[in-house]
Amino acid sequence: MLSYAAPKNFYPFAGKLIPWIGFAAVVTLAFGLYLGLFVAPADYQQGQSYRIMFIHVPSAWMSMFVYVVMAAAGAASLVWKTKLAEVLASACAPIGASFTLITLVTGSLWGKPMWGTWWAWDARLTSELILLFLYIGVMALQASIDDPRRAARAAAVLALVGVVNIPVIHFSVEWWNTLHQPASVSKLGMPSIHPSMLAPLLLMAVGFKLYFVAMVLVRMRYQILERERHTQWVAQVVESEK
Amino acid sequence: MGGYGLYVWSAYGFATLILVLNVIVPLRRRTVVMRVLRRLSQAKESE
């Protein structure tokens, strides 16, 4: 059986997937932006400012989702010592950090007109900031250790320890009195959001997921080439892509 | 945007900037990696 977990097989397979997933991401995001900016009506309480939600909420979901993927890949790399899992974990970190940064900045730009402040040390905001520091810590560990295997192991341990922060972020609006509004979509039962606003929100969420998959594959591919540079198959790839 | 234009467009602009950078940086990095690997293989051939 052809194993896609072998870097040699994964490399061309991922190369074929990237353009399709990238294209799907662009189409989904364009459609989501159109619905979110031109079709969805203004909010009866927040006016037009609520449109920040269409990037803020999906990127907040992504910031947690990518972290879980990164930690799971880290755990897999610790248990089975697979190179592909190490590369996946390392490729996740900068993308997850980017989504976390987008979440914090767009949240701040939403908070100023709605709450009257750019920032508050409340549970939701603080735990999301800690998430950014966790990502930066993982990236710093990966960058500071020369041996890729040891770097991956150290980063995986930090990523796994940091997983406790994920439920804290999610439940922070229920556990503590926060400035941040509670969930509208992931509530059990009916989401308290109108379909005309839910549709662009979900499209943006799917678009960000596709974008993440495409970009993580791009990053994994060149990292694989770097790490396998002394092998015959990489020499052939370099030869054929001249 | 009902007086919120500056906030809304700044948010969309910032997100776009970060997401576009996240496409450009890895693609450029890939070009660099390929260049280094090509040089490596040429060095090996001339040995």
Side-chain angles (χ1 to χ4, degrees), chain A residues 171-197:
Chain A
F171 292 110
S172 57
V173 285
E174 292 171 26
W175 291 346
W176 291 284
N177 267 320
T178 62
L179 201 51
H180 197 284
Q181 67 189 66
S184 317
V185 178
S186 64
K187 266 195 335 206
L188 287 173
M190 283 292 284
S192 52
I193 175 172
H194 193 266
S196 65
M197 296 174 179

PDB file of all heavy atoms in Angstrom, chain A residues 171-197:
ATOM      1  N   PHE A 171     -14.746  28.442  27.408  1.00  0.00           N
ATOM      2  CA  PHE A 171     -15.741  28.577  28.477  1.00  0.00           C
ATOM      3  C   PHE A 171     -15.585  29.857  29.297  1.00  0.00           C
ATOM      4  O   PHE A 171     -16.371  30.093  30.218  1.00  0.00           O
ATOM      5  CB  PHE A 171     -15.699  27.357  29.404  1.00  0.00           C
ATOM      6  CG  PHE A 171     -16.161  26.093  28.732  1.00  0.00           C
ATOM      7  CD1 PHE A 171     -15.275  25.078  28.428  1.00  0.00           C
ATOM      8  CD2 PHE A 171     -17.502  25.934  28.390  1.00  0.00           C
ATOM      9  CE1 PHE A 171     -15.700  23.917  27.784  1.00  0.00           C
ATOM     10  CE2 PHE A 171     -17.945  24.780  27.757  1.00  0.00           C
ATOM     11  CZ  PHE A 171     -17.038  23.766  27.459  1.00  0.00           C
ATOM     12  N   SER A 172     -14.563  30.673  28.961  1.00  0.00           N
ATOM     13  CA  SER A 172     -14.291  31.867  29.775  1.00  0.00           C
ATOM     14  C   SER A 172     -15.519  32.757  29.920  1.00  0.00           C
ATOM     15  O   SER A 172     -15.747  33.346  30.978  1.00  0.00           O
ATOM     16  CB  SER A 172     -13.131  32.664  29.169  1.00  0.00           C
ATOM     17  OG  SER A 172     -13.424  32.997  27.843  1.00  0.00           O
ATOM     18  N   VAL A 173     -16.328  32.843  28.834  1.00  0.00           N
ATOM     19  CA  VAL A 173     -17.489  33.739  28.904  1.00  0.00           C
ATOM     20  C   VAL A 173     -18.596  33.179  29.799  1.00  0.00           C
ATOM     21  O   VAL A 173     -19.523  33.893  30.172  1.00  0.00           O
ATOM     22  CB  VAL A 173     -18.057  34.050  27.497  1.00  0.00           C
ATOM     23  CG1 VAL A 173     -17.162  35.032  26.783  1.00  0.00           C
ATOM     24  CG2 VAL A 173     -18.236  32.792  26.671  1.00  0.00           C
ATOM     25  N   GLU A 174     -18.499  31.863  30.130  1.00  0.00           N
ATOM     26  CA  GLU A 174     -19.490  31.296  31.044  1.00  0.00           C
ATOM     27  C   GLU A 174     -18.963  31.236  32.470  1.00  0.00           C
ATOM     28  O   GLU A 174     -19.714  31.400  33.426  1.00  0.00           O
ATOM     29  CB  GLU A 174     -19.878  29.879  30.587  1.00  0.00           C
ATOM     30  CG  GLU A 174     -20.652  29.886  29.275  1.00  0.00           C
ATOM     31  CD  GLU A 174     -20.831  28.484  28.712  1.00  0.00           C
ATOM     32  OE1 GLU A 174     -20.812  27.519  29.509  1.00  0.00           O
ATOM     33  OE2 GLU A 174     -20.975  28.353  27.487  1.00  0.00           O
ATOM     34  N   TRP A 175     -17.645  30.966  32.601  1.00  0.00           N
ATOM     35  CA  TRP A 175     -17.070  30.786  33.934  1.00  0.00           C
ATOM     36  C   TRP A 175     -16.903  32.101  34.686  1.00  0.00           C
ATOM     37  O   TRP A 175     -16.973  32.149  35.897  1.00  0.00           O
ATOM     38  CB  TRP A 175     -15.706  30.092  33.830  1.00  0.00           C
ATOM     39  CG  TRP A 175     -15.793  28.659  33.404  1.00  0.00           C
ATOM     40  CD1 TRP A 175     -16.911  27.887  33.368  1.00  0.00           C
ATOM     41  CD2 TRP A 175     -14.719  27.830  32.940  1.00  0.00           C
ATOM     42  NE1 TRP A 175     -16.602  26.636  32.910  1.00  0.00           N
ATOM     43  CE2 TRP A 175     -15.274  26.565  32.639  1.00  0.00           C
ATOM     44  CE3 TRP A 175     -13.345  28.029  32.747  1.00  0.00           C
ATOM     45  CZ2 TRP A 175     -14.498  25.505  32.171  1.00  0.00           C
ATOM     46  CZ3 TRP A 175     -12.580  26.973  32.280  1.00  0.00           C
ATOM     47  CH2 TRP A 175     -13.154  25.731  31.997  1.00  0.00           C
ATOM     48  N   TRP A 176     -16.603  33.143  33.941  1.00  0.00           N
ATOM     49  CA  TRP A 176     -16.354  34.431  34.588  1.00  0.00           C
ATOM     50  C   TRP A 176     -17.311  35.480  34.041  1.00  0.00           C
ATOM     51  O   TRP A 176     -17.847  35.317  32.947  1.00  0.00           O
ATOM     52  CB  TRP A 176     -14.913  34.897  34.338  1.00  0.00           C
ATOM     53  CG  TRP A 176     -13.882  34.072  35.024  1.00  0.00           C
ATOM     54  CD1 TRP A 176     -13.557  34.101  36.352  1.00  0.00           C
ATOM     55  CD2 TRP A 176     -13.017  33.095  34.417  1.00  0.00           C
ATOM     56  NE1 TRP A 176     -12.549  33.202  36.603  1.00  0.00           N
ATOM     57  CE2 TRP A 176     -12.205  32.564  35.441  1.00  0.00           C
ATOM     58  CE3 TRP A 176     -12.855  32.621  33.119  1.00  0.00           C
ATOM     59  CZ2 TRP A 176     -11.240  31.596  35.215  1.00  0.00           C
ATOM     60  CZ3 TRP A 176     -11.896  31.643  32.881  1.00  0.00           C
ATOM     61  CH2 TRP A 176     -11.105  31.140  33.917  1.00  0.00           C
ATOM     62  N   ASN A 177     -17.478  36.552  34.796  1.00  0.00           N
ATOM     63  CA  ASN A 177     -18.192  37.716  34.282  1.00  0.00           C
ATOM     64  C   ASN A 177     -17.254  38.457  33.355  1.00  0.00           C
ATOM     65  O   ASN A 177     -16.269  39.021  33.790  1.00  0.00           O
ATOM     66  CB  ASN A 177     -18.580  38.643  35.429  1.00  0.00           C
ATOM     67  CG  ASN A 177     -19.965  38.320  35.929  1.00  0.00           C
ATOM     68  OD1 ASN A 177     -20.865  38.041  35.138  1.00  0.00           O
ATOM     69  ND2 ASN A 177     -20.143  38.351  37.236  1.00  0.00           N
ATOM     70  N   THR A 178     -17.551  38.437  32.072  1.00  0.00           N
ATOM     71  CA  THR A 178     -16.638  39.089  31.140  1.00  0.00           C
ATOM     72  C   THR A 178     -17.350  40.188  30.382  1.00  0.00           C
ATOM     73  O   THR A 178     -18.573  40.225  30.294  1.00  0.00           O
ATOM     74  CB  THR A 178     -16.060  38.083  30.120  1.00  0.00           C
ATOM     75  OG1 THR A 178     -17.145  37.559  29.363  1.00  0.00           O
ATOM     76  CG2 THR A 178     -15.309  36.972  30.794  1.00  0.00           C
ATOM     77  N   LEU A 179     -16.525  41.070  29.834  1.00  0.00           N
ATOM     78  CA  LEU A 179     -17.021  42.120  28.965  1.00  0.00           C
ATOM     79  C   LEU A 179     -17.467  41.506  27.641  1.00  0.00           C
ATOM     80  O   LEU A 179     -18.376  41.976  26.977  1.00  0.00           O
ATOM     81  CB  LEU A 179     -15.873  43.113  28.738  1.00  0.00           C
ATOM     82  CG  LEU A 179     -16.159  44.532  28.299  1.00  0.00           C
ATOM     83  CD1 LEU A 179     -17.189  45.180  29.193  1.00  0.00           C
ATOM     84  CD2 LEU A 179     -14.858  45.338  28.321  1.00  0.00           C
ATOM     85  N   HIS A 180     -16.787  40.405  27.297  1.00  0.00           N
ATOM     86  CA  HIS A 180     -17.027  39.752  26.015  1.00  0.00           C
ATOM     87  C   HIS A 180     -18.409  39.116  26.001  1.00  0.00           C
ATOM     88  O   HIS A 180     -18.830  38.515  26.967  1.00  0.00           O
ATOM     89  CB  HIS A 180     -15.950  38.683  25.788  1.00  0.00           C
ATOM     90  CG  HIS A 180     -15.839  38.229  24.374  1.00  0.00           C
ATOM     91  ND1 HIS A 180     -16.730  37.380  23.793  1.00  0.00           N
ATOM     92  CD2 HIS A 180     -14.927  38.519  23.416  1.00  0.00           C
ATOM     93  CE1 HIS A 180     -16.364  37.153  22.538  1.00  0.00           C
ATOM     94  NE2 HIS A 180     -15.282  37.838  22.283  1.00  0.00           N
ATOM     95  N   GLN A 181     -19.095  39.237  24.856  1.00  0.00           N
ATOM     96  CA  GLN A 181     -20.426  38.637  24.779  1.00  0.00           C
ATOM     97  C   GLN A 181     -20.329  37.117  24.693  1.00  0.00           C
ATOM     98  O   GLN A 181     -19.347  36.584  24.191  1.00  0.00           O
ATOM     99  CB  GLN A 181     -21.198  39.198  23.584  1.00  0.00           C
ATOM    100  CG  GLN A 181     -20.620  38.800  22.229  1.00  0.00           C
ATOM    101  CD  GLN A 181     -21.302  39.562  21.112  1.00  0.00           C
ATOM    102  OE1 GLN A 181     -21.187  40.770  21.000  1.00  0.00           O
ATOM    103  NE2 GLN A 181     -22.029  38.842  20.274  1.00  0.00           N
ATOM    104  N   PRO A 182     -21.356  36.396  25.192  1.00  0.00           N
ATOM    105  CA  PRO A 182     -21.320  34.933  25.129  1.00  0.00           C
ATOM    106  C   PRO A 182     -21.536  34.420  23.715  1.00  0.00           C
ATOM    107  O   PRO A 182     -21.834  35.191  22.804  1.00  0.00           O
ATOM    108  CB  PRO A 182     -22.471  34.514  26.050  1.00  0.00           C
ATOM    109  CG  PRO A 182     -23.358  35.695  26.120  1.00  0.00           C
ATOM    110  CD  PRO A 182     -22.514  36.899  25.918  1.00  0.00           C
ATOM    111  N   ALA A 183     -21.389  33.108  23.539  1.00  0.00           N
ATOM    112  CA  ALA A 183     -21.496  32.494  22.217  1.00  0.00           C
ATOM    113  C   ALA A 183     -22.905  32.635  21.657  1.00  0.00           C
ATOM    114  O   ALA A 183     -23.890  32.573  22.394  1.00  0.00           O
ATOM    115  CB  ALA A 183     -21.124  31.022  22.302  1.00  0.00           C
ATOM    116  N   SER A 184     -22.989  32.859  20.326  1.00  0.00           N
ATOM    117  CA  SER A 184     -24.294  32.921  19.678  1.00  0.00           C
ATOM    118  C   SER A 184     -24.523  31.719  18.779  1.00  0.00           C
ATOM    119  O   SER A 184     -25.651  31.367  18.472  1.00  0.00           O
ATOM    120  CB  SER A 184     -24.416  34.180  18.807  1.00  0.00           C
ATOM    121  OG  SER A 184     -23.900  35.293  19.463  1.00  0.00           O
ATOM    122  N   VAL A 185     -23.424  31.103  18.317  1.00  0.00           N
ATOM    123  CA  VAL A 185     -23.554  30.053  17.303  1.00  0.00           C
ATOM    124  C   VAL A 185     -23.470  28.658  17.911  1.00  0.00           C
ATOM    125  O   VAL A 185     -24.288  27.801  17.634  1.00  0.00           O
ATOM    126  CB  VAL A 185     -22.484  30.222  16.204  1.00  0.00           C
ATOM    127  CG1 VAL A 185     -22.598  29.107  15.185  1.00  0.00           C
ATOM    128  CG2 VAL A 185     -22.644  31.572  15.522  1.00  0.00           C
ATOM    129  N   SER A 186     -22.469  28.441  18.778  1.00  0.00           N
ATOM    130  CA  SER A 186     -22.206  27.088  19.267  1.00  0.00           C
ATOM    131  C   SER A 186     -23.088  26.723  20.454  1.00  0.00           C
ATOM    132  O   SER A 186     -22.873  25.721  21.105  1.00  0.00           O
ATOM    133  CB  SER A 186     -20.735  26.953  19.646  1.00  0.00           C
ATOM    134  OG  SER A 186     -20.441  27.811  20.717  1.00  0.00           O
ATOM    135  N   LYS A 187     -24.096  27.562  20.748  1.00  0.00           N
ATOM    136  CA  LYS A 187     -25.014  27.244  21.838  1.00  0.00           C
ATOM    137  C   LYS A 187     -25.767  25.966  21.527  1.00  0.00           C
ATOM    138  O   LYS A 187     -26.118  25.724  20.380  1.00  0.00           O
ATOM    139  CB  LYS A 187     -26.020  28.381  22.011  1.00  0.00           C
ATOM    140  CG  LYS A 187     -25.606  29.385  23.027  1.00  0.00           C
ATOM    141  CD  LYS A 187     -26.687  30.322  23.484  1.00  0.00           C
ATOM    142  CE  LYS A 187     -27.831  30.562  22.562  1.00  0.00           C
ATOM    143  NZ  LYS A 187     -28.453  31.866  22.814  1.00  0.00           N
ATOM    144  N   LEU A 188     -26.055  25.191  22.553  1.00  0.00           N
ATOM    145  CA  LEU A 188     -26.871  24.000  22.347  1.00  0.00           C
ATOM    146  C   LEU A 188     -28.253  24.448  21.894  1.00  0.00           C
ATOM    147  O   LEU A 188     -28.788  25.444  22.352  1.00  0.00           O
ATOM    148  CB  LEU A 188     -26.977  23.196  23.644  1.00  0.00           C
ATOM    149  CG  LEU A 188     -25.709  22.455  24.046  1.00  0.00           C
ATOM    150  CD1 LEU A 188     -25.860  21.847  25.422  1.00  0.00           C
ATOM    151  CD2 LEU A 188     -25.368  21.376  23.027  1.00  0.00           C
ATOM    152  N   GLY A 189     -28.821  23.717  20.976  1.00  0.00           N
ATOM    153  CA  GLY A 189     -30.124  24.107  20.458  1.00  0.00           C
ATOM    154  C   GLY A 189     -29.973  25.096  19.329  1.00  0.00           C
ATOM    155  O   GLY A 189     -28.997  25.047  18.591  1.00  0.00           O
ATOM    156  N   MET A 190     -30.899  26.018  19.208  1.00  0.00           N
ATOM    157  CA  MET A 190     -30.875  26.954  18.098  1.00  0.00           C
ATOM    158  C   MET A 190     -29.853  28.056  18.325  1.00  0.00           C
ATOM    159  O   MET A 190     -29.821  28.673  19.391  1.00  0.00           O
ATOM    160  CB  MET A 190     -32.266  27.594  17.956  1.00  0.00           C
ATOM    161  CG  MET A 190     -33.294  26.688  17.307  1.00  0.00           C
ATOM    162  SD  MET A 190     -32.917  26.388  15.563  1.00  0.00           S
ATOM    163  CE  MET A 190     -33.451  27.956  14.877  1.00  0.00           C
ATOM    164  N   PRO A 191     -29.021  28.324  17.314  1.00  0.00           N
ATOM    165  CA  PRO A 191     -28.137  29.475  17.443  1.00  0.00           C
ATOM    166  C   PRO A 191     -28.945  30.772  17.410  1.00  0.00           C
ATOM    167  O   PRO A 191     -29.905  30.876  16.644  1.00  0.00           O
ATOM    168  CB  PRO A 191     -27.213  29.368  16.231  1.00  0.00           C
ATOM    169  CG  PRO A 191     -27.855  28.422  15.294  1.00  0.00           C
ATOM    170  CD  PRO A 191     -28.845  27.594  16.060  1.00  0.00           C
ATOM    171  N   SER A 192     -28.589  31.722  18.276  1.00  0.00           N
ATOM    172  CA  SER A 192     -29.356  32.965  18.342  1.00  0.00           C
ATOM    173  C   SER A 192     -28.814  33.993  17.367  1.00  0.00           C
ATOM    174  O   SER A 192     -28.399  35.071  17.739  1.00  0.00           O
ATOM    175  CB  SER A 192     -29.329  33.517  19.764  1.00  0.00           C
ATOM    176  OG  SER A 192     -28.002  33.606  20.207  1.00  0.00           O
ATOM    177  N   ILE A 193     -28.772  33.602  16.119  1.00  0.00           N
ATOM    178  CA  ILE A 193     -28.276  34.511  15.088  1.00  0.00           C
ATOM    179  C   ILE A 193     -29.096  34.259  13.828  1.00  0.00           C
ATOM    180  O   ILE A 193     -29.423  33.118  13.500  1.00  0.00           O
ATOM    181  CB  ILE A 193     -26.761  34.310  14.863  1.00  0.00           C
ATOM    182  CG1 ILE A 193     -26.238  35.163  13.706  1.00  0.00           C
ATOM    183  CG2 ILE A 193     -26.389  32.857  14.648  1.00  0.00           C
ATOM    184  CD1 ILE A 193     -24.723  35.146  13.575  1.00  0.00           C
ATOM    185  N   HIS A 194     -29.462  35.334  13.138  1.00  0.00           N
ATOM    186  CA  HIS A 194     -30.317  35.216  11.955  1.00  0.00           C
ATOM    187  C   HIS A 194     -29.576  34.538  10.801  1.00  0.00           C
ATOM    188  O   HIS A 194     -28.383  34.770  10.635  1.00  0.00           O
ATOM    189  CB  HIS A 194     -30.783  36.612  11.528  1.00  0.00           C
ATOM    190  CG  HIS A 194     -31.898  36.572  10.529  1.00  0.00           C
ATOM    191  ND1 HIS A 194     -31.673  36.618   9.166  1.00  0.00           N
ATOM    192  CD2 HIS A 194     -33.240  36.471  10.689  1.00  0.00           C
ATOM    193  CE1 HIS A 194     -32.839  36.553   8.536  1.00  0.00           C
ATOM    194  NE2 HIS A 194     -33.810  36.467   9.437  1.00  0.00           N
ATOM    195  N   PRO A 195     -30.282  33.694  10.015  1.00  0.00           N
ATOM    196  CA  PRO A 195     -29.632  32.993   8.897  1.00  0.00           C
ATOM    197  C   PRO A 195     -28.861  33.913   7.952  1.00  0.00           C
ATOM    198  O   PRO A 195     -27.812  33.525   7.442  1.00  0.00           O
ATOM    199  CB  PRO A 195     -30.801  32.322   8.166  1.00  0.00           C
ATOM    200  CG  PRO A 195     -31.864  32.171   9.195  1.00  0.00           C
ATOM    201  CD  PRO A 195     -31.684  33.276  10.187  1.00  0.00           C
ATOM    202  N   SER A 196     -29.366  35.146   7.726  1.00  0.00           N
ATOM    203  CA  SER A 196     -28.677  36.057   6.806  1.00  0.00           C
ATOM    204  C   SER A 196     -27.311  36.474   7.348  1.00  0.00           C
ATOM    205  O   SER A 196     -26.450  36.914   6.599  1.00  0.00           O
ATOM    206  CB  SER A 196     -29.531  37.300   6.555  1.00  0.00           C
ATOM    207  OG  SER A 196     -29.665  38.039   7.758  1.00  0.00           O
ATOM    208  N   MET A 197     -27.126  36.352   8.663  1.00  0.00           N
ATOM    209  CA  MET A 197     -25.816  36.651   9.259  1.00  0.00           C
ATOM    210  C   MET A 197     -25.026  35.366   9.500  1.00  0.00           C
ATOM    211  O   MET A 197     -23.799  35.375   9.477  1.00  0.00           O
ATOM    212  CB  MET A 197     -25.995  37.385  10.590  1.00  0.00           C
ATOM    213  CG  MET A 197     -26.640  38.749  10.452  1.00  0.00           C
ATOM    214  SD  MET A 197     -26.953  39.458  12.080  1.00  0.00           S
ATOM    215  CE  MET A 197     -27.682  41.027  11.621  1.00  0.00           C
TER     216      MET A 197
END
